[in-house]
Structures are given as structure tokens and as C-alpha cells.
Amino acid sequence: GFCTPGFVMSMLGLFLNNVNPSSEDILAALEGNLCRCTGYDSIFKAALLLKKRLDTKQELLPAALRKVEKLMGKPEPVQFKEKDNREGYATLQCFLPASLNELWKTVNTLSKEGNYKFLAGGTDLMVLANIQHIRPQSLIELGGISELDGISLLRDNLSIGANVTLTQLQNDKHVQKHYPLLVKAIEQMASTQIRNSATLAGNIANASPVADGATTLLALNASVVLASAKNDRIVRLAEFYHAYKQTELKQDEIIKAVLLPLPDKTEQFCSFVKSAKRQAVDISGVVSALVLQHKNDKIISAALSFGGVAAYPALAVKTSSFLKGKKLSPELIEQAADLAQKEFKPISDIRGSQQYRSQLIKNHVIKHLKDFMESVHSAGRRS
């Protein structure tokens, strides 16, 4: 069947990385696959049976896989012709620079024609090329540039390289320690297969109005390092988006890194809410994130962000300001929810009507703040 290879490869990837997965691990690994024959229960039982019979991951490794790995080296830039039924033959050039220096030389060469795109993960760009036939003349793949790799804990912030995948972020000890909100968001973004390729920088640069990653980063007061051949500059993410699919990025610039300020010692409450037709592996109807600095039940500062309610991910500036310095109460929650609802004018599309999205804004705020109230009360009972 069409679906079977996907399940097999997902299970192979799971057991190669974890020879003794839990039931939750198995379900998470398979969530990106669909079975139209409703065989989910049997597939899950097959994974449990494999877990019982498997001693080491070496038993799963095909000999051919090792042969292929040895043959894989640094690919060279290629140029090929692909046939398009509507446009005839189109030439697509792919460039794979191995350093920033090589990148800027490539950009300088291609700048005369202008029709090129940077590729970092490509989980959205390749869909557009395949389904909507949106194909630039040239692609510049950033994955081979080592200067864009890695996660670094600096004095005042955490630096996330543009090539860092969502899976790497999800498993990073610094991210898990300081930014559990980001981990929670990533867990609901796409599937394991996509997270293994998708990058946070790509999620930002794509400028989708419902970008889960960008929405979460706004609440965390993130900045982006934008780089060109001339210089680097730092821009707050809150100032990065200008209009629908329009950002601060210039044609010759890339996102070099994402910067997250380290949390201070103030008590912090973080919350992420995603409304979609499926719990995971789906694009949000509305997504929101909240970060509160507080002392007991008094809010010292607040950052509330939304995706899916405007032309781009945005902070609820008025609501965040309203919450600052307040003590939480049922009345305050209702006031904040009403204010947030008035801050945005969502549109109707395939994922929800304007009225539905507007109601979700209010519901999200109520859930965020009720969860905060419950956490404060729980902490008081424990003390």
C-alpha cells in the first residue's frame, strides 16, 4: 500500500534512535503517517512486538545503508532541466556553499538576475514548488554552511543557528532547561520526519500568519541576526514582520541566528495553546503563547502573542500592557480576554471563519490566565 513504506520507515527511524521506546514514543513517531484502511491498532501492536523481539538496533540496519553512507560526500552544485507541463522546460540551478564566504560569492553572482531563494530545511518551499509551481530560477541551500550550525549558551542569551532543526532544539539541554515553552510548541509542530528537516529560522523567514514557532518566539522576546556580505544586524522579532509575507529581510540577507534572552530569576509562567483540527501534524487555526513574570499572583510583566489572527504573527501589545502590575482575578481574566479580542481583526479562510477565530482569541486568553491562576494556587498549597 501507499502508506505502508511511511510507517515502516518511521518505525525504523524510531528504533534506530531508541531501541526501547515507550508507547508514547511509538505514537509520536507514527503521528505523521495516515492509514486509510484504519489499521492503526495493528500497526501499533506491530511496533510493540518489534520492541519485545529486538535486542539491539544493529539487527535493523540493512547492509546497503552503510554502503550508501560511505558513498555520500559533499554534493557539488548542480544544474538540471525539469519539465513543467504549463511552462515547458525551466532551468533550475542549485548551489550548495560550504561557508559564508562562498555564500556571499554565490549571492553576488546571482544578484544580477534576482530570481533566487535561500533554502533552510525546505519543508514549505518544496511544497510550494510541487503543488503551486512556485519555482525560483536558483536555489541556495544553506545546510552545508557550518557557521550556521549549533546552539550556543552565551552570557545574556541563547544563540540558535539558522541550520538548527526543530528536532535538535527539542532535544537540546539548554532549550529544555530555559525555554520549556519552545519545546512544548515544537512537540505540536508537524511530525518527527518534518521536524528532522525543518528549521526555526525557516519558520520565521517563511512569514506564515500561523507560524507556531514565530508566535512562541515573540512571547519569549526573541531577536534575529540578519547577515549579508556587508554586515550583520540584530532585529527584534516584534519588528521583523511588516505585512503579509513581507519582512525586514532584504534580498541579499539571511537569518544567521535566533537570539533568546535568558530568563531572569523572577518567577515565570509560560503557556502555549494551539487550536487545530488535529492535535498535531496540522496547521493552526489560531495559536497563542503567553509568558508572565510574576510574584505570587501579581503580574510583573506579560508578553502575549498570537498567530492566525492577523497578516503575520503578532504581539497583543495592549493586552500585555494591561496585565502588567495587575493581580489576577476572574474579573481581570474576562477584561483581558475582551481586550485581546478587540486587538485583532482575523479573516475567514479554510481553517475557520472570522467569528470563530475571534472567539478563539478570547478563549485562548481565558485558558492561559486560568491555568496561571491554578498554578499560583497550587504553589500556595504546596508551600
Side-chain angles (χ1 to χ4, degrees), residues 85-288:
N85 291 331
R86 295 183 305 165
E87 302 173 4
Y89 283 94
T91 301
L92 175 64
Q93 299 181 98
C94 301
F95 296 89
L96 298 98
S99 66
L100 284 175
N101 189 45
E102 283 187 27
L103 171 65
W104 305 135
K105 289 181 181 178
T106 303
V107 169
N108 184 56
T109 301
L110 297 177
S111 60
K112 297 173 185 177
E113 60 187 55
N115 186 18
Y116 64 88
K117 282 275 189 180
F118 296 112
L119 186 70
T123 55
D124 189 78
L125 198 59
M126 292 297 97
V127 174
L128 293 176
N130 182 41
I131 304 299
Q132 297 185 25
H133 301 275
I134 300 175
R135 302 170 184 174
Q137 185 174 339
S138 301
L139 284 175
I140 305 176
E141 163 64 59
L142 304 178
I145 302 174
S146 59
E147 293 104 313
L148 305 181
D149 295 342
I151 301 171
S152 305
L153 187 63
L154 307 177
R155 180 179 177 182
D156 299 318
N157 53 52
L158 187 78
S159 176
I160 301 165
N163 282 336
V164 173
T165 65
L166 298 183
T167 297
Q168 290 171 327
L169 277 169
Q170 189 178 6
N171 296 326
D172 183 78
K173 62 180 182 180
H174 299 306
V175 176
Q176 291 173 347
K177 178 181 177 181
H178 298 294
Y179 311 100
L181 178 68
L182 185 56
V183 175
K184 185 174 182 180
I186 291 171
E187 288 172 350
Q188 296 181 55
M189 290 174 66
S191 61
T192 300
Q193 300 96 317
I194 300 301
R195 290 194 293 262
N196 285 344
S197 298
T199 61
L200 199 58
N203 189 257
I204 296 169
N206 184 44
S208 167
V210 289
D212 293 351
T215 301
T216 307
L217 291 172
L218 280 169
L220 291 169
N221 193 27
S223 298
V224 287
V225 181
L226 306 183
S228 68
K230 297 177 182 178
N231 64 301
D232 292 0
R233 59 192 181 108
I234 298 176
V235 177
R236 288 187 64 232
L237 190 58
E239 300 167 354
F240 179 76
Y241 298 107
H242 295 169
Y244 178 71
K245 291 290 184 177
Q246 295 181 25
T247 71
E248 183 70 16
L249 271 172
K250 298 176 182 177
Q251 174 69 27
D252 62 345
E253 284 184 317
I254 63 167
I255 296 177
K256 186 177 181 180
V258 179
L259 300 178
L260 287 174
L262 291 172
D264 59 28
K265 296 180 181 179
T266 311
E267 290 181 84
Q268 189 178 80
F269 170 82
C270 298
S271 178
F272 176 83
V273 179
K274 175 173 180 170
S275 294
K277 292 181 179 179
R278 298 177 62 186
Q279 185 175 353
V281 203
D282 201 0
I283 297 174
S284 302
V286 172
V287 61
S288 64

Side-chain angles (χ1 to χ4, degrees), residues 7 11 26 30 35 37-50:
F7 280 103
M11 213 176 294
I26 294 171
L30 298 178
C35 174
C37 306
T38 66
Y40 292 112
D41 194 51
S42 296
I43 294 166
F44 180 64
K45 287 178 180 177
L48 293 176
L49 184 63
L50 182 59

Side-chain angles (χ1 to χ4, degrees), residues 299-349:
I299 300 170
I300 298 172
S301 67
L304 174 65
S305 58
F306 280 93
V309 300
Y312 48 84
L315 285 166
V317 177
K318 293 179 181 178
T319 309
S320 300
S321 179
F322 169 77
L323 290 170
K324 185 177 179 180
K326 300 287 198 310
K327 281 196 172 186
L328 208 58
S329 67
E331 294 76 20
L332 182 76
I333 292 176
E334 192 67 27
Q335 291 171 356
D338 287 338
L339 181 57
Q341 193 176 38
K342 294 174 183 176
E343 278 203 66
F344 299 101
K345 294 181 179 180
I347 63 171
S348 298
D349 64 14

